[in-house]
C-alpha cells in the first residue's frame, strides 16, 4: 500500500487552500449566511477558472479527469474555510449524476455544468422516503409528475432540478425546471440554503426523462457513494479546523493564572481529538479512493463505514471543541459554533449514523484487508 | 425501604397534575410541544401565575413565602410542571438571590426584595462571570469603590443570562484589591436601570438572544444594596452553590424531553427505523432512571434533615450529560428533518425541525454553573481527598 497523495492532488489542495485564504473569510461567511442566493458571481467564476468545474469528470465526458481524491481535497478545504459556495451541490452532485447516467442527452447537460452555464441541483430526498433514495415518494403517472422533494440544496437559485420519481414502480431520473414547482427556501443547519419543492401534476415530456430502471438505480448508487465521501471530506476540513483552533485556544486562554492547556483533563481531551482526527484522516483516504470503485460492494462498504464513523467521531470533536472553549464556544461571534453546526449538518446528509450502521450490518462478509 | 410515593404524596401528585392540566396556558404548551423558546412575556406570565398561587419560591421557609412543602413534594411539583409542558422558572431570583437575602440580608433588604421574587414580579440576573474570570471566578475585576453614600462600580460582566430582561442584578464586585482574592469580593444588588449600565446582546448558536455583556461606567449603587459585609461575597457565592440540589439534575425536564421524543418517533413518517429508535430511547430512559433514583436519595435525605451524601455529588454532571444525550438523540433520530433551521413550514415533524436549536444550546449546560471539569476537580479534592 502507498498512502502518499499524488503530486497533482497536493497541488490542487494547496491551491484551494490559498485561494480560500485570499478570497474567503469568516466575515464573508457571516454575510453569506444571511443571503438568499448562495452563489457569489465573482467567486463562482474564480472556482471555474481554478478548474474545479471540470475536475470531477472524465476527459471523455469533457472534464479534466480528476479523481474523487482530488475533489475531496477541494471539499476538505471548503469545509476548513466554512465556505458555503455550493460547489458540491451545484457542480459535483448534478454533474456526477449526469456523467454516471452517461447518455448523449445527459452528457450534453454535463458540458453546460462544466462550462458554468447550468444552474442545476439534485432533488433526491423527501421526508417520507428519508434516506431511501431508490424509492422516492414522488410519482410519475403517465406524463404527470406529482409529489414533493425536501431538503434540496439548490444554492437558493437553481433553475433546473435533477430529480427522481417512481413510474409504475420503476425509478426514473428527470430534469425538471424549478419554475414548474412550488418552491420555498430556508436556511439549513450549516447556513446554506435548502428548498422544499412541490410538484403538482407537472407535465413531463420524454426529453425530460434522463434514465430509468437499473440504469437510474446504478447511477444514483454511484452518486451517493461519491457524495458520502465528500461529506466526510467536508467534515474532515471542519474537524481539523476545530482541532487547530482549540489547541491554539488552550495554549492562550488563561484561568487560575495558567493556560487551560496545562490542566491534564484538557490535555487528554486534546490528545483524544488529535488521535480521532488521525483516524478520520485514514478513513477519508480510504473512502476517497474506494468510493468511486466500479465494484458496488467495495464502494458501499467504504462509503457506509466512513459516513457512520464520521457521524460519531467528527461530531465528538466538534462537541469537545465547544467544551474546551467554555462560554465563547457557544456564541455566534466565534467560528467554533459554526463549524459545529456544519459537522452536525453533514452527519445527517446522505444517510445518518443509524442508517449507515444498519446498512453496514447488512453487507456481505469480506476477508479482512479486502 | 420504601421506594414509592406515600398515599398522601400520590394524592398531592394528582392534585398538581390536575392543576397543571387546567392552568398551564395554551400558548406555553404550544411552545414546549415543539421545543420553542417561551420568551420573556410568556415566561413572566407563567411565573406570575405560579407566584399568585404561592408556588414560585418552593424551597423557601414559609415565613418568606414558601409553600411549606417537603423536598419530595417539590420534586413531584417539578415533575408535573415539566410533564405538563411548562418551562422551568428562572433560577436567578427564586433559587439564587432569594435564599441569599433571607440568609444574609438585613430586615430592610428582605422586606424590599423578597416579595417581588415570591410573586414573580421582579426579574433578576446573575452578574458573576467576566471575560477573564470564568472558571476562575475569584479573579474577577469589576470594582466597587466605597464613596460617601454609594458604591461607584466600574467594569464588565459577560454571559449574563437575561440581563436584557432583568430589573435587578446580583453582582460580585471587588471592594478590596489589597487582600487575598477571595477576601476582597462583595455581593451587591444593582438596579439595571441605573445610569452607566450598558447591556449588549450576545447571540448563541441556537440563534437566540439569551446572553449579554454588561458594562458598568461610574455606576452609583446605594450603600444599602450591599448584602452582608464587605468581603463576604465569596462566602455568599459558595453558599449559593450548595443551596438546592434536588432539582439540579434536571430529571423532570429530561422526562419531558424523552416523552416528546417518543411521541415524535411514534408520529414520524414511515422511513424511520422505529425499533432502532425505540432502543436508543430505551437506553436514555434507563440512564434517566439511574439518575432519578440517585436524585430520590438526595430528596429523601433532605426530608430527613440529613446532609447531602456523596450520592448527590454527581447529579449535575450526570444530569447535564443526559440532557445533552437526549437532545442529540432527538437531532439524530430526526435525520434530515433536523436540517431545517428557520423553516416557516413543517417538514415531516415540528419537533424534529426544531431539534437542533435545543441541541446547540445545550452544549452550554456542561459549561455554565461551574463547568463539569471544575465540578470534577472539586469532587476529586473534597470527596476523594486527592
Ligand atoms: C449559556 C450560558 C449561560 C450563562 N449564564 C451566566 C449568568 O447568567 N451569569 C454569569 O455570571 N455567568 C453565566 N455564564 C458563564 C459561565 O458560568 C462560564 O461560562 C463558566 O464559568 C466557564 O467560564 P468560561 O466560559 O470563561 O470558560 P473557562 O473558564 O475559560 O474554561 C474553558 C475550559 O477550560 C476548563 N477549565 C478551566 N479551568 C479548569 C481547571 N482548573 N481544570 C480543568 N479544566 C478547567 C473549563 O472546564 C472549560 O472547558 C453562562 C455561560 C453560558 C455558556
Amino acid at each position: 500500500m502507498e498512502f502518499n497523495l499524488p503530486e497533482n492532488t497536493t497541488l490542487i489542495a494547496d491551491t484551494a487552500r490559498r485561494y480560500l485564504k485570499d478570497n474567503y473569510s469568516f466575515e464573508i461567511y457571516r454575510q453569506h449566511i444571511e443571503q438568499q442566493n448562495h452563489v457569489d458571481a465573482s467567486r463562482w467564476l474564480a472556482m471555474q477558472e481554478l478548474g474545479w468545474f471540470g475536475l470531477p469528470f472524465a476527459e471523455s465526458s469533457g472534464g479534466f479527469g480528476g479523481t474523487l481524491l482530488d475533489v475531496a481535497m477541494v471539499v476538505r478545504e471548503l469545509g476548513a474555510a466554512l465556505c458555503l459556495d455550493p460547489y458540491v451541490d451545484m457542480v459535483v452532485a448534478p454533474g456526477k449524476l449526469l456523467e454516471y447516467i452517461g447518455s448523449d442527452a445527459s452528457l450534453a447537460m454535463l458540458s453546460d455544468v462544466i462550462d458554468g452555464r447550468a444552474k442545476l441541483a439534485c432533488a433526491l430526498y423527501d421526508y417520507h422516503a428519508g434516506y431511501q433514495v431508490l424509492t422516492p415518494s414522488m410519482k410519475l403517472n403517465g406524463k404527470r409528475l406529482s409529489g414533493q422533494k425536501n431538503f434540496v440544496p439548490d444554492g437558493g437559485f437553481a433553475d433546473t432540478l435533477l430529480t427522481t420519481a417512481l413510474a409504475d414502480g420503476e425509478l426514473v431520473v428527470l430534469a425538471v425546471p424549478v419554475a414548474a414547482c412550488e418552491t420555498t427556501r430556508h436556511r439549513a443547519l450549516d447556513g446554506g440554503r435548502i428548498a422544499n419543492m412541490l410538484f403538482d401534476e407537472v407535465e413531463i415530456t420524454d426529453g425530460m426523462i434522463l434514465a430509468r430502471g437499473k440504469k437510474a438505480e446504478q447511477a444514483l448508487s454511484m452518486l451517493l457513494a461519491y457524495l458520502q465521501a465528500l461529506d466526510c471530506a467536508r467534515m474532515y476540513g471542519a474537524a481539523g479546523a476545530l482541532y487547530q483552533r482549540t489547541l491554539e485556544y488552550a495554549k492562550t486562554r488563561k484561568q487560575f493564572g495558567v493556560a487551560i492547556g496545562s490542566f491534564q483533563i484538557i490535555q487528554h481531551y486534546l490528545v483524544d481529538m488529535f488521535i480521532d482526527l488521525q483516524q478520520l484522516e485514514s478513513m477519508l483516504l480510504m473512502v476517497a479512493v474506494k468510493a468511486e470503485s466500479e465494484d458496488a460492494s467495495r464502494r458501499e462498504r467504504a462509503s457506509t463505514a466512513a459516513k457512520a464513523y464520521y457521524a460519531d467521531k467528527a461530531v465528538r470533536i466538534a462537541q469537545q471543541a465547544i467544551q474546551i472553549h467554555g462560554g465563547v464556544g457557544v456564541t455566534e461571534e466565534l467560528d467554533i459554533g459554526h463549524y459545529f453546526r456544519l459537522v452536525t449538518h453533514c452527519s445527517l446528509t446522505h444517510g445518518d449514523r443509524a442508517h449507515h450502521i444498519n446498512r453496514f450490518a447488512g453487507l456481505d462478509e469480506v476477508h479482512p484487508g479486502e | 425501604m420504601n421506594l414509592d410515593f406515600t398515599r398522601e404524596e400520590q394524592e398531592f401528585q394528582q392534585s398538581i397534575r390536575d392543576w397543571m392540566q387546567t392552568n398551564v396556558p395554551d400558548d406555553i404548551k404550544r411552545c414546549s410541544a415543539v421545543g420553542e423558546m417561551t420568551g420573556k412575556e410568556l415566561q413572566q406570565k407563567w411565573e406570575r401565575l405560579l407566584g399568585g398561587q404561592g408556588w414560585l419560591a418552593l424551597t423557601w421557609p414559609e415565613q418568606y413565602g414558601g409553600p411549606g412543602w417537603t423536598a419530595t413534594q417539590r420534586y413531584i411539583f417539578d415533575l408535573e410542571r415539566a410533564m405538563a409542558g411548562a418551562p422551568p422558572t428562572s433560577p436567578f431570583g427564586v433559587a439564587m438571590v432569594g435564599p441569599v437575602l433571607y440568609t444574609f440580608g438585613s430586615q430592610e433588604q428582605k422586606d424590599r426584595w423578597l416579595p417581588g421574587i415570591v410573586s414573580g414580579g421582579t426579574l433578576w440576573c446573575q452578574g458573576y462571570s467576566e471575560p477573564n474570570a470564568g472558571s476562575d471566578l475569584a479573579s474577577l475585576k469589576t470594582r466597587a469603590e466605597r464613596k460617601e453614600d454609594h458604591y461607584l462600580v466600574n467594569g464588565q460582566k459577560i454571559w449574563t443570562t437575561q440581563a436584557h430582561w432583568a430589573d435587578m442584578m446580583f453582582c460580585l464586585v471587588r471592594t478590596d484589591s489589597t487582600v487575598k482574592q477571595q477576601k476582597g469580593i462583595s455581593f451587591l444588588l444593582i438596579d439595571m436601570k441605573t445610569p452607566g449600565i450598558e447591556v449588549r446582546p450576545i447571540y448563541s448558536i441556537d440563534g437566540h438572544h439569551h446572553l449579554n455583556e454588561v458594562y458598568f461606567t461610574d455606576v452609583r449603587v446605594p450603600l444599602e444594596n450591599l448584602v452582608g459585609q464587605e468581603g463576604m461575597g465569596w462566602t455568599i457565592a459558595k453558599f449559593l452553590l450548595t443551596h438546592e440540589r434536588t432539582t439540579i439534575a434536571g430529571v423532570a425536564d429530561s422526562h419531558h424531553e424523552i416523552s416528546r421524543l417518543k411521541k415524535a418517533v411514534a408520529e414520524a413518517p414511515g422511513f424511520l427505523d422505529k425499533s432502532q429508535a425505540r432502543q436508543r430511547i430505551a437506553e436514555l430512559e434507563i440512564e434517566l432512571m439511574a439518575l432519578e433514583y440517585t436524585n430520590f436519595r438526595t430528596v429523601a435525605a433532605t426530608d430527613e434533615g440529613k446532609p447531602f451524601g456523596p450520592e448527590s455529588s454527581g447529579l449535575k454532571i450526570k444530569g447535564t450529560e443526559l440532557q445533552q444525550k437526549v437532545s442529540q438523540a432527538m437531532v439524530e433520530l430526526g435525520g434530515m428533518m433536523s436540517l431545517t433551521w428557520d423553516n416557516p413550514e413543517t417538514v415531516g415533524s415540528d419537533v424534529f425541525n426544531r431539534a437542533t436549536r435545543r441541541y446547540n444550546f445545550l452544549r452550554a449546560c456542561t459549561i455554565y454553573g461551574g463547568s463539569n471539569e471544575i465540578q470534577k476537580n472539586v469532587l476529586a479534592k473534597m470527596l476523594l481527598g486527592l
Side-chain angles (χ1 to χ4, degrees):
Chain A
M1 283 190 201
E2 193 253 320
F3 275 93
N4 301 319
L5 286 186
E7 212 173 298
N8 193 39
T9 308
T10 309
L11 188 69
I12 289 169
D14 291 346
T15 310
R17 192 178 315 123
R18 220 170 317 113
Y19 162 72
L20 287 162
K21 188 165 174 285
D22 294 342
N23 294 279
Y24 203 76
S25 64
F26 184 51
E27 288 67 40
I28 295 177
Y29 157 87
R30 290 197 69 185
Q31 292 161 13
H32 207 173
I33 220 173
E34 301 299 333
Q35 288 158 9
Q36 307 291 324
N37 181 336
H38 268 220
V39 178
D40 174 282
S42 67
R43 276 201 311 275
W44 203 240
L45 194 66
M47 288 183 183
Q48 192 182 358
E49 282 166 359
L50 285 169
W52 293 2
F53 284 20
L55 187 65
F57 313 109
E59 284 171 17
S60 57
S61 320
F64 307 148
T67 59
L68 169 55
L69 187 60
D70 294 330
V71 179
M73 292 304 119
V74 171
V75 173
R76 181 189 73 184
E77 295 308 323
L78 290 170
L82 267 180
C83 183
L84 290 173
D85 295 340
Y87 169 62
V88 173
D89 295 333
M90 301 191 66
V91 175
V92 184
K96 286 311 276 189
L97 182 54
L98 293 167
E99 186 178 33
Y100 288 141
I101 289 171
S103 64
D104 290 346
S106 69
L107 290 178
M109 285 180 83
L110 175 59
S111 76
D112 284 347
V113 172
I114 295 171
D115 289 350
R117 281 194 305 263
K119 296 173 187 162
L120 290 180
C122 291
L124 306 178
Y125 296 97
D126 68 85
Y127 72 80
H128 295 286
Y131 297 119
Q132 310 300 338
V133 268
L134 302 185
T135 50
S137 71
M138 192 141 75
K139 296 280 182 303
L140 179 63
N141 289 319
K143 295 201 168 312
R144 307 263 159 200
L145 181 67
S146 292
Q148 63 175 307
K149 293 289 171 181
N150 313 108
F151 326 111
V152 182
D154 83 331
F157 91 124
D159 62 12
T160 306
L161 296 176
L162 302 185
T163 193
T164 51
L166 291 182
D168 287 330
E170 186 189 45
L171 185 70
V172 289
V173 177
L174 314 118
V176 183
V178 171
C181 45
E182 196 184 305
T183 304
T184 51
R185 295 188 171 100
H186 56 275
R187 219 172 105 183
L189 188 57
D190 68 347
R193 293 270 137 192
I194 49 177
N196 295 315
M197 307 195 150
L198 277 179
F199 301 74
D200 182 14
E201 306 250 311
V202 174
E203 187 167 334
I204 300 298
T205 58
D206 285 347
M208 291 158 83
I209 297 181
L210 297 174
R212 44 195 332 148
K214 277 272 158 291
K215 181 83 229 173
E217 287 182 10
Q218 202 195 359
L220 272 182
S221 305
M222 292 178 77
L223 173 67
L224 281 193
Y226 201 97
L227 295 180
Q228 282 149 0
L230 294 186
D231 273 346
C232 295
R234 191 170 178 218
M235 281 196 262
Y236 182 81
L242 283 165
Y243 165 73
Q244 283 301 337
R245 282 160 172 72
T246 307
L247 179 63
E248 201 49 44
Y249 190 75
K251 289 178 180 169
T252 46
R253 170 68 173 171
K254 285 191 169 167
Q255 287 289 277
F256 305 99
V258 293
I260 59 170
S262 66
F263 303 128
Q264 210 155 47
I265 192 163
I266 301 290
Q267 292 174 353
H268 289 194
Y269 285 170
L270 281 159
V271 169
D272 284 338
M273 286 167 80
F274 176 80
I275 294 171
D276 280 345
L277 202 58
Q278 295 306 311
Q279 304 225 126
L280 287 170
E281 186 175 18
S282 310
M283 284 299 245
L284 179 60
L285 295 171
M286 182 282 293
V287 74
V289 168
K290 298 200 170 177
E292 63 177 347
S293 164
E294 298 279 326
D295 175 347
S297 72
R298 193 176 153 88
R299 199 168 65 217
E300 295 216 351
R301 195 175 169 78
S303 62
T304 298
K307 198 70 212 292
Y309 190 75
Y310 265 80
D312 182 17
K313 299 299 185 214
V315 163
R316 187 69 197 133
I317 285 178
Q319 293 173 340
Q320 285 296 69
I322 291 186
Q323 185 67 26
I324 295 171
H325 274 80
V328 287
V330 300
T331 64
E332 284 284 300
E333 268 125 281
L334 202 70
D335 50 12
I336 297 299
H338 296 265
Y339 282 111
F340 170 81
R341 292 203 298 239
L342 183 157
V343 169
T344 311
H345 181 106
C346 294
S347 74
L348 299 172
T349 50
H350 307 304
D352 61 8
R353 181 169 159 78
H355 171 83
H356 286 295
I357 295 280
N358 250 347
R359 250 179 97 203
F360 194 85
L363 296 176
D364 290 341
E365 196 72 30
V366 300
H367 189 77
E370 271 173 27
Chain B
M1 249 194 255
N2 168 30
L3 299 188
D4 293 302
F5 292 140
T6 63
R7 182 129 59 75
E8 293 75 38
E9 285 162 350
Q10 285 172 22
E11 283 164 13
F12 176 81
Q13 182 169 26
Q14 191 58 50
S15 72
I16 298 294
R17 191 175 305 168
D18 293 343
W19 188 88
M20 292 289 170
Q21 200 131 58
T22 39
N23 289 285
V24 177
D26 285 340
D27 32 16
I28 287 186
K29 281 191 199 152
R30 261 196 305 276
C31 279
S32 82
V34 296
E36 209 157 76
M37 278 233 312
T38 30
K40 179 178 181 180
E41 225 170 276
L42 280 186
Q43 183 76 28
Q44 264 206 305
K45 176 169 158 183
W46 171 237
E47 291 185 8
R48 290 201 170 122
L49 183 66
L50 290 181
Q53 200 70 20
W55 288 352
L56 197 49
L58 299 185
T59 61
W60 297 18
E62 276 174 273
Q63 64 181 120
Y64 298 119
W69 289 345
T70 61
T72 308
Q73 286 176 307
R74 296 198 291 269
Y75 176 76
I76 290 171
F77 180 87
D78 198 41
L79 191 61
E80 295 303 327
R81 183 271 308 159
M83 291 309 285
T89 53
S90 169
F92 305 115
V94 163
M96 295 181 176
V97 74
V100 165
L101 287 171
Y102 65 66
T103 309
F104 298 95
S106 65
Q107 193 56 45
E108 293 74 43
Q109 287 172 333
K110 292 182 205 173
D111 293 344
R112 174 132 185 235
W113 303 112
L114 294 183
I117 302 175
V118 174
S119 69
T122 318
L123 290 181
W124 288 78
C125 65
Q126 177 187 28
Y128 281 19
S129 305
E130 298 180 5
N132 290 312
S135 297
D136 183 14
L137 185 59
S139 69
L140 62 91
K141 290 208 172 62
T142 297
R143 261 178 317 125
E145 283 172 83
R146 194 191 185 100
K147 302 283 178 188
E148 193 81 346
D149 63 343
H150 64 269
Y151 286 101
L152 195 65
V153 179
N154 280 288
Q156 184 202 346
K157 296 291 172 182
I158 194 168
W159 317 123
T160 325
T161 304
Q162 294 169 6
H164 56 308
W165 294 0
D167 306 299
M168 294 292 298
M169 170 190 277
F170 59 94
C171 189
L172 292 181
V173 292
R174 185 159 302 287
T175 39
D176 189 345
S177 41
T178 61
V179 292
K180 188 173 165 254
Q181 274 191 340
Q182 284 82 347
K183 292 243 156 36
I185 295 173
S186 302
F187 194 97
L188 273 190
L189 310 178
I190 302 180
D191 187 329
M192 292 299 284
K193 283 186 289 298
T194 321
I197 297 183
E198 191 197 340
V199 178
R200 291 189 203 158
I202 300 175
Y203 280 85
S204 40
I205 55 172
D206 57 348
H208 290 305
H209 174 198
H210 313 266
L211 305 173
N212 301 277
E213 292 177 284
V214 183
Y215 292 85
F216 300 89
T217 316
D218 289 338
V219 174
R220 291 161 163 254
V221 178
L223 293 181
E224 67 259 27
N225 283 18
L226 174 75
V227 179
Q229 266 86 60
E230 272 186 21
M232 260 180 79
W234 195 250
T235 310
I236 295 177
K238 279 210 303 207
F239 156 85
L240 257 185
L241 290 182
T242 56
H243 180 64
E244 164 77 350
R245 294 254 201 117
T246 58
T247 56
I248 198 170
V251 170
D253 292 284
S254 284
H255 269 300
H256 180 245
E257 287 304 298
I258 288 179
S259 80
R260 255 175 12 99
L261 180 54
K262 281 183 173 169
K263 192 153 170 281
V265 164
E267 291 168 359
F271 76 85
L272 185 72
D273 183 333
K274 294 199 181 181
S275 80
Q276 201 182 14
R278 276 193 293 264
Q279 280 187 22
R280 181 150 183 199
I281 297 173
E283 285 180 28
L284 295 169
E285 271 192 280
I286 292 166
E287 275 196 54
L288 176 57
M289 194 185 277
L291 182 66
E292 182 166 39
Y293 275 86
T294 310
N295 202 43
F296 278 143
R297 288 167 68 191
T298 306
V299 169
T302 308
D303 280 341
E304 289 169 41
K306 291 192 203 150
F308 296 124
E311 73 280 355
S312 71
S313 55
L315 287 175
K316 159 113 196 316
I317 294 170
K318 285 290 185 190
T320 49
E321 285 175 357
L322 184 62
Q323 285 176 42
Q324 291 182 338
K325 282 188 198 174
V326 173
S327 69
Q328 185 170 351
M330 197 175 279
V331 166
E332 293 180 356
L333 290 175
M336 284 180 291
M337 289 187 285
S338 306
L339 290 177
T340 63
W341 181 256
D342 54 3
N343 189 10
E345 56 190 338
T346 302
V347 183
S349 154
D350 279 339
V351 171
F352 290 132
N353 291 169
R354 292 188 168 83
T356 54
R357 295 213 184 225
R358 189 177 166 85
Y359 169 62
N360 290 347
F361 185 72
L362 280 177
R363 295 325 303 171
C365 77
T366 48
I367 296 169
Y368 58 62
S371 75
N372 284 15
E373 290 76 27
I374 295 292
Q375 305 268 346
K376 287 179 191 174
N377 286 352
V378 171
L379 293 179
K381 195 166 153 195
M382 311 297 279
L383 200 65
L384 277 58
L386 293 171

